[in-house]
Each structure stands twice: as structure tokens, then as C-alpha cells.
Amino acid sequence: MSACAGGGGTEADGNTLTMMVPLFGTAPDPKGEMHQAVEKLAGKKLAITWTPNAEYNEKTNVVLASDSIPDVMVIQDNKSPSFVQAAKAGAFWDLTDKLDKYPNLKPKSEQAWINSKTDGRNYGIYRVRALLRSAIVLRKDWLDKLDLEPPQTTDDLYEIAKAFTERDPDGNGKKDTYGLILPKWPSTNFSASNPYNVIDVWFGTPNNYGMRDGKLVPEFDVPEFWEAQKYIKRFIDEGLVNPDWATLDTGKWNDPFVQGKGGIIIDVNVRAGELFDDFKELDPETYDEKVAMAGNLSRPDGKKFSYPFTGYNGIVAVSKQRVRTEQQLDDVLKTLDKLASKEGSILLNNGIEGRNFKVEDGYAVKVNDQDPAMKVINNDVEFAFIQLGMTSSVGVAGEAYEWMRPSQAEKDWLKQRDELMNLDLQTAVHDPSLPVISETAVQRGATLNPIPTDARIKYLAGDLTEEQFRAEVKRWYDSGGTQTLAELQAGMVKTGG
């Protein structure tokens, strides 16, 4: 569909709310059950431009450069140059101090609210995601066969990877398995929530950036970083990882795990749910015996540092182009508050109770999900309307219902997931630079960011010495890194960070 449903620079229509929202499947029919139910709850007509996710950021840039910004717009990257420029130019309402009287829009997490700032201000309501979801997923059947427990420390993880590689965990009499599965990661950002970043933080590095002796420093230029690299390199040098670790597509990350080639993935806790589903397709009888999970690990000296995420995935921003007065803004925020209510969260995340789902033991259970009408409702929820979830959304049920998992193993996993999240949040290392923007990073990021990322991979592959890697770090500083750090630190001081 086209990029925008809003009309030029015209004023908002009090009876209709124009919106632009990401789409991951087929666009809902405006006359369909879900759309009608959401309109009824909102108390307004909703003119939604559903835009395929693959082209969403590109369409966002087009819309931001036009005079056709809709009333409400999901912004997936509120740190992007185009959004920063538009927000600073007054294209969107600054909501930093405006949400107190909207009970469902008031930030539930102070950390996520801070993280979602754009240059020190909040130009939208953040779409909640788990603030901490890093975890380790392991082949449970392999652990059981080798009489091993899930890891608690980085040393434990190494020993498990070694056992998975050398002790025939699948019992086929061949040396054809390995421990850790590493995928290739894009080099657009050094800190990209990949397994390398998680391990860095376990060893005590900053999470992207951090303060040391009153100065902001990058993750890749502290002593602990080199300890982490030597740890990872040991896995690679000893053959405890997949041979194609530098080229494996992230979209195929699950394959070696399910195929019985590798036994450990360091990623997000919801990946365990994906793997349960993958195994279920292969063998519904034994799938619940294949997946185990552990949380963040302590380093060798017993100290623990956990890798958090930002706690949000984009924001829901309100246009100043069409929503021009405080009264109109109040009207829009009241509508969004309804969508963020318990009733709204259930509708956007689960669907229509009594139609496509029912509630059992506090969980949502799909009803007649092979019925074509129910398939349409489920599609509209899972691939479209859930993207409007602010307080409940993907991976965070909030006041909506968690979907029922059939096996006891999966129910135990959901309970463990929440317990580990709460435990690891106590030792989470947050990135203090997230609320602020560096103009140098914006302008030179495309050339700056790959320098340390590429150097890391070459070092791990044995193509760079530590001395050469350090020379690349110096090149990063000289190419704009020093200026980036100065701008970020100045911004942090200015915004009280």
C-alpha cells in the first residue's frame, strides 16, 4: 500500500484517526472483524496505511520528507537521521511531560522511557519489549545424555561446548557435532545485540558505551574486552563452533540446532519457543525433551554482568502537522490510551475473546483456528494489529494473555523465562548513551561502525593480530570516534545522563 493515508498539511479530523503501521503479512480488511472491533474500542474511524515491514523505514523517510505525515505514525527507528531531523524541526509532539494524565500511556519502565528518548526528549510512546531477554538455549537431550547441568559461569559454557563437540552427545558414534552456533552478523553497528556483545558484557565491558574514570568509552576499548575476545577465540580455535561461523545466515540460525549439528545458541529467550515449535514439527512425541535454557553467566572471578535490551521497539509518534492544538492532542492521546488499556491490549495481542480465542487457566487458547474466519482474525492480530501494542506486544504479554503452550516443558520454560529476566535485570549493564545523539555518528556511521566490527571478526578468524586489531581501534578514534564520544558525553551531561 502507499506510504500515507493522511491528507497533506490539513488539520486532523476529530472523527477519523490516520495512521501508518508496519505490516508483516496480509493487510487487514477495514470492514473485517478485527478492524471494526478496534474502531469500536477506539471510538473513532481508523484510516490505517499498513506498510510492509521490509520497506517500512524507506517509506518512513519518504513520509517524513513530505507534507503528508499522518496523525499517528509508528517510528521503528527514532534515532535515525530523518526522524531526528523531523522531530527537532517540530514535526512531532514532544510528549516528555505530557503523559501523566493518561494512565495507560504513562511509562511502565523508567529505563525503557530513558532509552527511547531522541536527543534527550520523548517524541512518542514506546512500544514495549522485554528489557532483558538475553539467554542461552541448549540441547536438553544432549545435556541429559552427558549428565551435564545448564551453565552458570563462562567456564561452564566452555566445558559444555567442549563436551558437545568431543563426547558424542547424539550417540551416533561419530565426531560430527559442535557446541556453540554463531551466525554472521551485519556490521552496520558494533553493538547489535549479537552473541559477541553478550559475551563482552559477561566479561565486564560497557554495553556499547559506558563511563570509565569520568570519560565515555566504547565497548571495544577496555581491558575486559580483550579477555572476552580470547574466550571467544578459544571456542573457534578449538573447533567448538560451527565451521561456517563467519558466514552462517541469521535466518538459518536454528537449523544446526534442530538438525543435531550444534547444541548452544546465545540469543533471546523467545528463541527457545521457536525451537520448541521447530522440534514439534519434526516429532510431536519427543519435542518437549530437546530444549533447555540458561540465563546470563558469571565470569571466572564470580562477578556477574547481564546483557539487557532497550525495553522498547520504536515509538508511536503524534504528528504536529495535522494534530495542531493541545485539545486535538488530548483527543488523540485519549484514543491511544484506550488502545493501551487492558481491554485494548487483549484485543491487539490476542484478538476477540469468544471468537478466535478463549481463556483457560489464565492463558489464551485459539478456538477453531482452521476455520477461515478465525484464520483471518488471527492473521490480523499476529501480523498487523499487534504492531499498535504499546504496553503489551511481541514477547511481552503485559495485561494481555500469554498464549497457552501445550506441554509441561513449555509451561516450565515460560515460568523460567520470567524468573531469569527478573534475576538478570539486577545485574543489567545499560547503555547510558542511548537517549542522546551524536551528529558525527549520524553523518559518518556508515564508515565508522564497520571498523571495529570487521576487525573483531578478522581477529577471531586469525587474520589480524591483537596489535593490528588495536591499530583498527585507533583508526576508529581518528576517523570520528573521538568526536562521537565527545558529542555523546556532552549530550549526556546536557540531559542529565
Side-chain angles (χ1 to χ4, degrees):
M1 296 183 73
S2 63
C4 187
T10 59
E11 200 160 335
D13 172 0
N15 298 317
T16 301
L17 199 63
T18 61
M19 304 175 119
M20 179 171 155
V21 186
L23 176 69
F24 287 79
T26 305
D29 182 348
K31 296 179 181 176
E33 283 186 78
M34 264 304 294
H35 188 104
Q36 295 294 311
V38 176
E39 282 191 337
K40 183 178 179 183
L41 176 69
K44 286 184 185 298
K45 286 285 182 188
L46 301 178
I48 304 177
T49 298
W50 296 104
T51 303
N53 185 62
E55 54 197 68
Y56 196 83
N57 285 329
E58 183 183 338
K59 289 287 179 91
T60 296
N61 291 337
V62 171
V63 172
L64 293 179
S66 73
D67 63 349
S68 301
I69 298 176
D71 300 331
V72 171
M73 187 173 177
V74 172
I75 302 293
Q76 290 185 321
D77 182 5
N78 61 309
K79 319 285 187 177
S80 70
S82 57
F83 181 74
V84 172
Q85 185 178 0
K88 284 185 166 184
F92 294 95
W93 282 92
D94 182 346
L95 303 180
T96 311
D97 305 311
K98 292 189 180 295
L99 299 184
D100 277 355
K101 65 177 183 175
Y102 308 97
N104 302 307
L105 299 183
K106 286 175 66 174
K108 302 290 189 293
S109 163
E110 181 64 24
Q111 188 64 53
W113 184 238
I114 291 168
N115 291 347
S116 66
K117 289 181 184 293
T118 300
D119 210 24
R121 307 300 294 174
N122 294 94
Y123 293 101
I125 301 130
Y126 69 80
R127 299 189 304 164
V128 69
R129 294 295 187 272
L131 183 55
L132 195 147
R133 54 196 186 123
S134 50
I136 306 165
V137 188
L138 307 101
R139 283 288 299 242
K140 183 179 186 300
D141 51 337
W142 289 10
L143 289 172
D144 292 343
K145 175 142 194 323
L146 301 179
D147 197 24
L148 297 169
E149 294 293 323
Q152 299 289 325
T153 69
T154 53
D155 287 343
D156 292 344
L157 186 68
Y158 168 78
E159 294 298 338
I160 291 170
K162 195 172 181 65
F164 280 3
T165 306
E166 297 177 352
R167 291 176 51 196
D168 191 22
D170 58 359
N172 69 353
K174 299 176 183 176
K175 193 172 184 299
D176 58 356
T177 57
Y178 46 81
L180 182 61
I181 306 167
L182 289 174
K184 174 181 169 58
W185 217 269
S187 62
T188 48
N189 282 305
F190 185 82
S191 180
S193 305
N194 61 42
Y196 305 108
N197 297 126
V198 176
I199 293 171
D200 288 351
V201 168
W202 288 347
F203 275 82
T205 73
N207 175 4
N208 191 26
Y209 296 108
M211 297 300 293
R212 294 284 172 96
D213 300 321
K215 286 182 63 178
L216 192 68
V217 295
E219 176 180 331
F220 49 82
D221 192 22
V222 294
E224 298 91 340
F225 176 76
W226 301 102
E227 293 304 311
Q229 302 329 292
K230 287 166 188 170
Y231 175 79
I232 300 168
K233 198 169 186 331
R234 188 179 182 192
F235 279 71
I236 293 168
D237 291 348
E238 295 182 14
L240 310 185
V241 304
N242 46 306
D244 60 347
W245 63 273
T247 58
L248 177 66
D249 186 333
T250 52
K252 298 179 179 177
W253 202 353
N254 288 352
D255 293 356
F257 193 98
V258 175
Q259 293 162 3
K261 295 175 182 176
I264 305 166
I265 292 177
I266 301 170
D267 190 37
V268 291
N269 49 27
V270 293
R271 187 167 290 277
E274 290 180 15
L275 290 162
F276 272 120
D277 293 340
D278 288 347
F279 280 118
K280 191 183 301 180
E281 286 186 21
L282 289 176
D283 185 358
E285 299 298 317
T286 65
Y287 81 95
D288 58 344
E289 302 167 7
K290 302 290 177 63
V291 182
M293 192 170 73
N296 284 261
L297 303 180
S298 301
R299 68 185 186 187
D301 66 358
K303 289 185 179 177
K304 184 176 178 183
F305 305 95
S306 299
Y307 187 89
F309 286 67
T310 61
Y312 80 102
N313 183 26
I315 60 173
V316 178
V318 182
S319 165
K320 259 191 161 179
Q321 194 181 85
R322 286 172 46 83
V323 182
R324 295 180 180 174
T325 67
E326 292 275 355
Q327 185 177 350
Q328 287 176 320
L329 176 65
D330 177 62
D331 185 49
V332 170
L333 291 177
K334 281 177 179 172
T335 302
L336 294 177
D337 193 65
K338 291 177 186 174
L339 296 180
S341 67
K342 180 174 182 178
E343 185 183 359
S345 294
I346 292 169
L347 182 61
L348 297 176
N349 285 264
N350 302 119
I352 304 167
E353 188 171 350
R355 280 291 288 154
N356 68 305
F357 82 96
K358 60 183 178 179
V359 180
E360 285 183 11
D361 299 326
Y363 290 93
V365 180
K366 286 183 179 177
V367 175
N368 299 328
D369 58 351
Q370 295 308 306
D371 179 321
M374 298 309 104
K375 282 186 175 181
V376 169
I377 295 175
N378 290 331
N379 167 81
D380 290 356
V381 171
E382 293 170 26
F383 301 110
F385 279 103
I386 196 170
Q387 296 300 319
L388 273 173
M390 289 164 278
T391 52
S392 301
S393 196
V394 181
V396 181
E399 290 194 294
Y401 296 106
E402 193 87 61
W403 288 98
M404 173 77 83
R405 287 272 177 174
S407 69
Q408 189 58 47
E410 290 166 279
K411 291 172 185 171
D412 291 344
W413 160 64
L414 287 174
K415 183 181 177 186
Q416 182 196 20
R417 180 196 68 183
D418 294 342
E419 289 172 349
L420 288 175
M421 281 196 297
N422 291 327
L423 175 68
D424 288 352
L425 270 173
Q426 298 171 27
T427 52
V429 180
H430 298 288
D431 177 359
S433 74
L434 279 175
V436 296
I437 302 291
S438 157
E439 287 299 329
T440 300
V442 168
Q443 293 165 9
R444 301 190 206 169
T447 53
L448 261 184
N449 292 330
I451 294 174
T453 310
D454 293 346
R456 187 214 293 263
I457 297 304
K458 288 175 182 174
Y459 168 78
L460 294 175
D463 297 333
L464 282 186
T465 64
E466 184 175 324
E467 186 180 359
Q468 290 170 321
F469 191 168
R470 289 180 186 273
E472 287 297 282
V473 171
K474 183 179 184 302
R475 185 162 74 89
W476 178 85
Y477 278 110
D478 294 343
S479 303
T482 299
Q483 187 66 20
T484 296
L485 291 169
E487 290 167 1
L488 289 173
Q489 188 162 355
M492 288 162 57
V493 170
K494 181 181 173 184
T495 58

